[in-house]
Amino acid sequence: MNRRYAIAAAAFVALLLAVTAAKILHVPVPWTAPSARAVEQRGPLSEGEKATIDIFERVSPSVVQVAAKSAASPLMGEEGQGGSSGTGFVWDRDGHLVTNNHVVASGGEIAVRFASGEVAEVDLVGTAPNYDLAVLRIRSVRQLPAPIALGSSSDLKVGQSAFAIGNPFGLDQSMTSGIISALKRRLPTHGGREIANVIQTDAAINPGNSGGPLLDSAGRLIGVTTAIISPSGSNAGIGFAVPVDVVNRIVPELIRNGRVPTPGIGIVAAGEDVSTRLGVEGVIVVRTAPGSPAERAGIRGVNFSTGAVGDIITAVEGKPVRRLSDLTDALEQAGAGKTVRLTVKRGSDTRDVNIGIIDIDRS
């Protein structure tokens, strides 16, 4: 009996010594309960991280999710079911919001959700398909977040930081960052024209980001995200934004009148592929509209009997015109009702012509 007791006591002592040694050597013991690991304290956030966090905290309350119901569908904002969803942001203290035209083009009811979770119905104030922009207005009076501070797109540099806030795939309040990858891109719109001086960025832009703000490192609005180039339909590092200088010209016009004039001179122009094949730098006039400013100014189109090229517009107010978007951009900058000086080449002769700009949608 004493011998059994001695063996048991020795075994217990050996076990106790083994457990103690394991704890001293930090060796896990299978039958002991694990304890939570100590939290490793980190140092302060970097200045870059602090700046990014500050941008999001200041701007995100002013970014909304936009859901539009198709006039033919009872479902609100469901892709593939006749609805659409995107992003918008607070423009002013009067309850105006800005988004993309293609987000709200379905013609049905529109609602927005704020960062707080509050949902509000809105009215469509106006659209500008040629710029893929639309303005909404909240129906009920409420305490709005502050409008996003405006920057400028005229002094942007390739390589500077860019930040996008939006609702990709319906995931609200998402922020992505990158750089401005290129400037002066041209982007075709559903209105059949091109937006000039478009910003290209590699900040991730996906379906649902459309209509959201593109920001600089000061948190200022520099563009409205509008499109991506991607075979899969998801971000591939090439996204586009309508420059804020264009937005700041178009949105007030939409608020005042609900529409934006389409400045023109009444010509049909040849495509760039035709100009390239002919080795022509400028806009080839195919024909002029009867009674248009171009016809009254003596602008001549292609002679369809002989195939001879007529007039080629090479400059507006002394600035070179190399493609149609250069001409339309110059006319839009001047505006309907104004007169501009065109430089026109016909054969070996070059002359200047003063010509009035009209709103071609109403002519």
Side-chain angles (χ1 to χ4, degrees), residues 46-205:
S46 70
E47 293 305 314
E49 289 174 309
K50 291 178 182 178
T52 302
I53 292 170
D54 177 65
I55 291 172
F56 182 78
E57 291 180 345
R58 281 190 291 118
V59 176
S60 61
S62 303
V63 179
V64 301
Q65 187 171 17
V66 181
K69 181 178 69 175
S70 169
S73 171
L75 300 177
M76 176 73 81
E78 292 194 16
E79 299 289 351
Q81 298 291 338
S84 62
S85 63
T87 303
F89 57 90
V90 177
W91 176 259
D92 59 24
R93 297 284 186 182
D94 294 327
H96 292 109
L97 310 172
V98 172
T99 186
N100 279 152
N101 174 69
H102 75 261
V103 171
V104 296
S106 57
E109 296 179 6
I110 308 168
V112 299
R113 184 188 299 275
F114 286 85
S116 63
E118 182 178 355
V119 176
E121 292 184 335
V122 297
D123 293 314
L124 182 61
V125 174
T127 62
N130 288 334
Y131 304 92
D132 198 14
L133 293 173
V135 173
L136 313 173
R137 192 173 191 277
I138 300 171
R139 290 179 185 173
S140 57
V141 178
R142 49 158 285 144
Q143 187 65 34
L144 284 173
I148 301 175
L150 287 188
S152 173
S153 50
S154 62
D155 57 356
L156 295 177
K157 303 292 184 184
V158 173
Q160 75 179 76
S161 298
F163 303 86
I165 300 179
N167 308 284
F169 304 108
L171 302 172
D172 63 339
Q173 297 290 295
S174 295
M175 183 182 195
T176 57
S177 64
I179 62 170
I180 294 174
S181 305
L183 297 168
K184 299 185 182 301
R185 294 299 194 209
R186 293 177 296 130
L187 187 66
T189 67
H190 295 293
R193 292 164 75 98
E194 288 184 335
I195 309 173
N197 300 316
V198 168
I199 302 165
Q200 180 184 327
T201 180
D202 68 347
I205 296 173

